[in-house]
Amino acid sequence: MSWLRFLVKFSFICNCCYLLGFVIRMTDYQDNFEGIVKHILVLGYLVSPFLNIITILLAVILLLAKRTTWANVHPYIFILNVIIFLIQLELFI
């Protein structure tokens, strides 16, 4: 597995943590599983936006330079990452 494929998959996992953290913040949270929730929030809110920027920029640059193919980037996961990044931008701004 190439490093770009790994980066896209890890970014997707961080985005899932972001969405899960968003749901946890919107619901009535009762301090159950406190340690897991803290890790999810850190991974989702601190790591995810910056990793998304890096992943999207690297993938677009490598695709435009024809150093990688579209199939190597996992197109569906990449498109979901872009959609979730746009949601993050909307909520942060």
Side-chain angles (χ1 to χ4, degrees):
M1 175 171 39
S2 71
W3 60 272
L4 184 60
R5 289 173 67 116
F6 173 76
L7 198 60
V8 169
K9 289 178 184 179
F10 184 64
S11 178
F12 180 71
I13 291 170
C14 290
N15 286 331
C16 290
C17 288
Y18 174 80
L19 294 175
L20 187 60
F22 184 75
V23 169
I24 288 172
R25 286 185 58 208
M26 292 298 157
T27 59
D28 187 24
Y29 176 62
Q30 299 292 334
D31 288 339
N32 297 336
F33 306 109
E34 183 178 339
I36 296 172
V37 171
K38 286 181 182 178
H39 283 65
I40 288 173
L41 291 177
V42 167
L43 195 59
Y45 281 99
L46 295 179
V47 177
S48 179
F50 302 111
L51 186 62
N52 266 337
I53 292 170
I54 292 169
T55 303
I56 291 170
L57 285 176
L58 279 175
V60 168
I61 289 170
L62 290 176
L63 285 170
L64 290 176
K66 298 186 181 189
R67 302 265 324 252
T68 188
T69 61
W70 183 243
N72 288 338
V73 181
H74 287 290
Y76 296 116
I77 297 175
F78 180 73
I79 291 171
L80 284 173
N81 283 341
V82 171
I83 291 170
I84 294 172
F85 179 67
L86 293 175
I87 293 171
Q88 288 173 347
L89 282 179
E90 179 68 29
L91 294 176
F92 283 139
I93 294 177

